[in-house]
Amino acid sequence: MSKFTLVCPLWVYRLLPFLRWWPSVNGSTTRDDAMAGLTGALIVLPQGVAFATIAGMPPEYGLYAAMMPAVIAALFGSSWHLVSGPTTAISIAVFASVSPFAPPGSPEFISLVLTLTFMTGVFELILGLARMGVLVNFISHTVVIGFTAGAALLIAGSQIKNFFGLGIPRGTPFFEVLSLFVQHIKEINPYVTAVSVITLVSGILVKRYFSKFPYMIAAMLVGSVVALILNAHYGVDVTHVKTVGALPAGLPPLSLPDFSFGTLNQMLFPSLIITMLALTEAVSISRAVATKSGQRIDGNQEFVGQGLSNVIGSFFSSYASSGSFNRSGVNYAAGARTPLAAVFASVFLLIILLLVAPLAAYLPDAAMAGILFLVAWSLIDFHHISLLPKVSRQETVVLWVTLIGTLVDLEKGIFFGIALSLVFYLYRTSRPKLEIVLPDPDPDSYHYTPLDGRQECPQLKMLRINGSIFFGAVAHLQQQLQEIEELEPERKHLLIMSSGINFVDLAGAELLAELARQRRKIGGGLYFYRMKDSVANTLRRGGFMQDIGEENLFAAKTHPVEIIYARLDNETCRNCTLHAFNICHPRLPNGEPRQS
């Protein structure tokens, strides 16, 4: 492996990333990967059908999305354990984005979804090649929690009609669904509801007491048996318990997205939304698994892998896919050692589909609704939702704005959340904290600590600025410093502890230069302790150091007070009884400090 690594230049690994791990494949890893792949195939079988239902696609398309995209993402991605395929959030986003343009499940709907998938892949690929993986860091965890909870409620709302056997039109907005449910509550079908409830309860019990067995498969089997018994005893005309219908057995058929200008224009904004969601899911999940495996994740390479999987998948009847937390977690827990596990999962899924496809004719819609209720419940992060109000009011507002916005309009809901979280962030960073400090009483210490009841020097003000000085923070800082100057005009000298200032922009540099001129004008000075080199270099390049003065910058592990003390007013120092600094002693007539 080491020889192979030396022979191949870096650009080869970026072009063909699977060459990094391929030399480590052997009989032992292949056995482990095959077992993990079989487990993953069993997991994705019910999930694929469920997620396709959420997306408004025929059930088999959920399985197609777990085949080719999973293989491509495994070969060209960065993570060794991430498994791509259909996900809940992407599925609900696909449905919300495309359903206004075509009836769900129709050929027009499928064509639009394939175009959406292709465009999503193109955007992901562009971001990856442009090394823009850092963008997902601007989507806060709170926004993801709020969006996921909103998506979970949308899933549950979309399945109310199937769960209770009510005639609610497909695609009805969430709050209207609730209104219609209350209006038609007396029309609930007891047979359909019985199948849904029994499926739901059986899934809960299996998940709780038999956690090693796939609870979705168990719930599907129980619900199907109950529906068979009811239909056999009462007849379908009485029960109205309908089934999904048989799935087509075979390879994913070739498909062609619609590249007409009108379709591309319609899918532009939705594809940007899904790109953002898909990349956030993929990178966050791969990083979460990597914390356990110890692997280093390249976010940009993951973008490329996800982009290629969606671009190629759109030609193999796949709708938009991303990293799946459930399947990735199961893949790692099952002992997967290389990305071949995801390839094996796709192969085994195809084999299983050939064997069980006809059995889907016995799967009732009501059972699917019960399973999707389970999925929706598991998506809601009750722990963090209850914790946020205790931690941050602003984050709580972001959560509920995102959640409610998602329920009203899924596409715009997440943008509202991101925008609001960025606004709050900018508000916090635009108000750097000013803290009054004094030197540590220990003469050997270089630290500056809060006052804690100590008296300040009547001539020298000491402040610690915690935050960068940029255009958004200038007004706040200017106001705070002006108030200090007006309230304490006798303190003409100002020493700023600068280690908390990470950067300054043009507006910030102009503020510091102006502050230095003002202090000199009133007979004082402006000084900085432990200013970062990057900040000082910015001031030098802009010519602002001419006003500030290199001599007024003090490096770490120095005592600025010893230098500044000589610049203070002699008369004031002689009459001062505070002795704020260790160097403070009654001065000689010539202004020099008297030796103790």
Side-chain angles (χ1 to χ4, degrees):
M1 184 175 178
S2 59
K3 283 186 178 181
F4 195 84
T5 303
L6 290 172
V7 169
C8 291
L10 184 60
W11 67 267
V12 174
Y13 288 121
R14 288 179 177 173
L15 185 65
L16 304 171
F18 55 84
L19 293 179
R20 291 182 182 274
W21 52 265
W22 187 259
S24 66
V25 174
N26 54 42
S28 174
T29 63
T30 302
R31 282 192 298 272
D32 291 341
D33 289 339
M35 289 304 299
L38 179 60
T39 304
L42 292 173
I43 292 292
V44 77
L45 181 64
Q47 285 186 347
V49 174
F51 294 158
T53 304
I54 294 171
M57 299 286 282
E60 62 270 19
Y61 278 79
L63 302 178
Y64 297 157
M67 294 181 185
M68 186 59 73
V71 173
I72 301 300
L75 294 177
F76 291 92
S78 169
S79 174
W80 287 22
H81 299 99
L82 184 72
V83 181
S84 291
T87 69
T88 313
I90 301 300
S91 298
I92 191 66
V94 166
F95 175 80
S97 301
V98 183
S99 57
F101 302 106
S106 65
E108 294 80 8
F109 185 90
I110 295 172
S111 178
L112 287 172
V113 169
L114 292 175
T115 303
L116 174 66
T117 302
F118 176 83
M119 294 180 68
T120 297
V122 169
F123 284 130
E124 290 175 328
L125 195 55
I126 290 172
L127 290 173
L129 294 174
R131 319 296 290 173
M132 298 294 287
V134 69
L135 286 178
V136 296
N137 296 335
F138 291 96
I139 304 175
S140 72
H141 186 51
T142 302
V143 170
V144 174
I145 292 172
F147 172 79
T148 306
L153 293 176
L154 286 177
I155 291 168
S158 70
Q159 293 302 310
I160 284 177
K161 63 172 185 173
N162 293 328
F163 195 95
F164 296 103
L166 297 174
I168 299 175
R170 191 170 192 172
T172 303
F174 177 78
F175 293 106
E176 191 175 338
V177 168
L178 298 182
S179 175
L180 290 173
F181 174 70
V182 173
Q183 294 174 26
H184 298 281
I185 197 167
K186 295 181 180 179
E187 301 172 16
I188 288 177
N189 185 318
Y191 304 102
V192 172
T193 305
V195 173
S196 303
V197 171
I198 292 172
T199 302
L200 178 64
V201 172
S202 62
I204 293 172
L205 293 176
V206 170
K207 189 176 183 180
R208 182 171 182 179
Y209 296 108
F210 305 96
S211 57
K212 293 185 178 180
F213 192 85
Y215 73 94
M216 282 190 178
I217 292 179
M220 280 185 176
L221 292 174
V222 172
S224 299
V225 170
V226 171
L228 275 174
I229 294 172
L230 290 176
N231 285 339
H233 190 272
Y234 296 102
V236 179
D237 294 336
V238 174
T239 63
H240 297 290
V241 177
K242 300 177 181 178
T243 60
V244 171
L247 298 176
L251 293 168
L254 295 176
S255 55
L256 183 65
D258 182 0
F259 294 117
S260 65
F261 177 78
T263 301
L264 293 174
N265 187 49
Q266 283 179 328
M267 294 297 103
L268 178 61
F269 184 69
S271 64
L272 290 172
I273 295 287
I274 293 175
T275 295
M276 183 170 54
L277 289 176
L279 292 179
T280 302
E281 280 191 323
V283 174
S284 60
I285 292 168
S286 61
R287 286 176 179 171
V289 177
T291 57
K292 300 178 181 179
S293 66
Q295 185 201 351
R296 293 180 64 184
I297 299 298
D298 182 348
N300 294 309
Q301 187 63 53
E302 204 58 60
F303 277 29
V304 171
Q306 292 298 315
L308 285 174
S309 71
N310 279 314
V311 168
I312 296 174
S314 66
F315 294 96
F316 287 87
S317 300
S318 301
Y319 73 89
S321 65
S322 182
S324 166
F325 184 79
N326 287 336
R327 294 194 296 284
S328 300
V330 167
N331 188 48
Y332 176 74
R337 296 171 65 182
T338 75
L340 272 185
V343 178
F344 279 124
S346 299
V347 174
F348 285 131
L349 177 60
L350 177 61
I351 296 171
I352 293 170
L353 179 60
L354 294 173
L355 298 174
V356 305
L359 299 180
Y362 302 99
L363 177 62
D365 291 334
M368 284 300 305
I371 291 168
L372 291 174
F373 267 44
L374 268 177
V375 171
W377 179 265
S378 65
L379 283 174
I380 302 176
D381 190 343
F382 292 101
H383 170 69
H384 282 98
I385 290 175
S386 62
L387 184 64
L388 274 176
K390 304 173 185 176
V391 176
S392 170
R393 280 186 178 181
Q394 291 183 346
E395 290 294 296
T396 304
V397 172
V398 170
L399 172 79
W400 286 105
V401 165
T402 306
L403 194 157
I404 296 171
T406 300
L407 294 177
V408 175
D409 188 328
L410 182 139
E411 294 180 12
K412 296 183 177 64
I414 190 167
F415 268 129
F416 288 149
I418 294 171
L420 187 60
S421 63
L422 290 176
V423 166
F424 282 145
Y425 169 76
L426 290 173
Y427 177 78
R428 289 193 298 269
T429 56
S430 68
R431 301 173 68 83
K433 184 180 178 182
L434 297 183
E435 184 181 17
I436 303 173
V437 295
L438 281 176
D440 192 297
D442 182 358
D444 297 324
S445 173
Y446 298 100
H447 297 294
Y448 289 76
T449 58
L451 293 181
D452 290 333
R454 293 181 291 167
Q455 295 290 324
E456 291 184 81
C457 170
Q459 297 191 71
L460 175 61
K461 187 77 175 180
M462 295 185 173
L463 294 175
R464 177 181 288 119
I465 297 181
N466 294 313
S468 298
I469 306 176
F470 67 108
F471 65 94
V474 164
H476 173 75
L477 274 176
Q478 203 166 25
Q479 180 181 354
Q480 296 292 100
L481 294 171
Q482 186 175 348
E483 288 178 0
I484 290 173
E485 186 178 347
E486 291 175 354
L487 290 172
E488 305 170 1
E490 71 281 1
R491 292 192 174 98
K492 300 176 181 180
H493 297 266
L494 175 61
L495 173 60
I496 295 179
M497 312 301 138
S498 313
S499 59
I501 304 174
N502 291 318
F503 74 91
V504 296
D505 63 0
L506 177 61
E510 289 178 341
L511 171 67
L512 296 181
E514 175 62 26
L515 187 62
R517 290 193 295 267
Q518 288 178 354
R519 288 285 167 174
R520 275 201 308 274
K521 187 176 180 180
I522 61 175
L526 176 66
Y527 317 97
F528 296 91
Y529 177 59
R530 293 184 63 189
M531 177 181 283
K532 287 182 166 61
D533 289 340
S534 58
V535 175
N537 289 333
T538 299
L539 296 174
R540 292 187 186 105
R541 287 194 301 269
F544 300 102
M545 199 59 76
Q546 296 176 8
D547 290 310
I548 294 172
E550 293 281 355
E551 70 280 5
N552 294 323
L553 304 186
F554 298 94
K557 294 188 177 181
T558 60
H559 293 288
V561 172
E562 294 178 357
I563 306 299
I564 300 172
Y565 183 74
R567 306 176 188 178
L568 302 181
D569 180 73
N570 296 335
E571 187 66 25
T572 304
C573 283
R574 278 197 298 271
N575 297 327
C576 177
T577 59
L578 294 178
H579 304 299
F581 311 126
N582 292 325
I583 198 173
C584 288
H585 297 284
R587 292 202 180 195
L588 296 171
N590 62 1
E592 292 293 327
R594 190 186 303 275
Q595 300 298 319
S596 57

